[in-house]
Amino acid sequence: MIRYTCPTAHYAFRTYDQSDVRGGPVTPADVLMVNLLSLRFDWRDVTPLFVVGETPHVQLRQALDEALTEARALPALEDCTEEQAAMPALREANSLALAVPRSPRRDRRTWGPVAVSKVLHRLAPTVPLIDSYVCAFFATRSPRDIRLRMRAELIANQRWLTELAERHPVRGEPMPLTRVADIAIWMDAQPS
């Protein structure tokens, strides 16, 4: 945790975590922030979200906004009930992300639950970050199962996670426990 939050380190803490967050819907800048967490989005992944029409990209952006509204109305993940942690609007956004077609000039899928989590977490930390390390730690690729398992871990380890959160504030507030858990999982998997 100390290495990741160090002001001279080349990690995303000073950029992704500390950048200002405003209320309102998802913006193009919010989507591009995922690049700070190792995704490779470019204009082909962002601009189609904000056009006028009924395309898979526009439907995804609308679902992201609905998931964001849902998540902002919830307490921190560790304080959610299991029903609240199910987050049906987030489930829909994840489903629509997988339905976005790949660009014919790209050899990989860019949209999916990982990208959705990285867009939404900074704006609503109730949405835990998902990546391959988190999936391996919780032994599942199901976003819903990850939320439920992370919630259980946050509750079981709340005391020491809260101490870490208070030592590493984000925008003047204790770091969300979902982010503390993500950083701890990610840093533990990195070579020394």
Side-chain angles (χ1 to χ4, degrees):
M1 182 69 66
I2 292 171
R3 233 175 50 209
Y4 193 90
T5 59
C6 175
T8 61
H10 291 243
Y11 295 107
F13 185 71
R14 305 275 304 161
T15 52
Y16 177 88
D17 293 284
Q18 298 292 9
S19 292
D20 288 337
V21 171
R22 56 171 197 67
V26 172
T27 68
D30 296 325
V31 178
L32 286 169
M33 288 294 257
V34 302
N35 290 331
L36 297 171
L37 297 179
S38 303
L39 291 185
R40 292 186 218 143
F41 273 25
D42 66 21
W43 65 271
R44 290 170 287 200
D45 305 303
V46 181
T47 56
L49 297 170
F50 296 91
V51 300
V52 175
E54 278 300 311
T55 68
H57 282 89
V58 171
Q59 291 172 340
L60 171 59
R61 183 197 27 89
Q62 292 166 342
L64 288 169
D65 287 341
E66 289 172 21
L68 179 59
T69 298
E70 172 186 66
R72 283 177 170 160
L74 294 173
L77 186 61
E78 62 274 14
D79 297 325
C80 283
T81 64
E82 283 191 29
E83 294 77 27
Q84 289 171 318
M87 298 184 199
L90 180 57
R91 184 175 54 248
E92 178 67 11
N94 285 329
S95 177
L96 288 170
L98 291 170
V100 168
R102 292 182 191 193
S103 167
R105 293 174 275 169
R106 313 260 319 248
D107 62 345
R108 59 181 165 51
R109 170 173 296 288
T110 51
W111 280 104
V114 169
V116 167
S117 76
K118 290 181 178 189
V119 169
L120 295 178
H121 170 79
R122 193 175 67 82
L123 305 170
T126 298
V127 177
L129 287 159
I130 298 174
D131 62 18
S132 59
Y133 300 106
V134 170
C135 289
F137 183 85
F138 290 111
T140 184
R141 297 197 67 76
S142 162
R144 181 183 187 279
D145 290 347
I146 288 170
R147 285 191 305 279
L148 293 174
R149 292 175 188 181
M150 183 177 284
R151 176 185 167 274
E153 286 295 323
L154 296 178
I155 291 168
N157 296 288
Q158 194 163 5
R159 183 175 175 182
W160 71 269
L161 289 170
T162 299
E163 290 172 8
L164 279 176
E166 290 169 352
R167 280 189 257 150
H168 303 283
V170 171
R171 293 181 298 277
E173 298 290 326
M175 184 185 297
L177 297 191
T178 50
R179 186 65 167 134
V180 174
D182 171 68
I183 292 170
I185 291 166
W186 192 80
M187 292 301 289
D188 186 60
Q190 302 307 303
S192 297

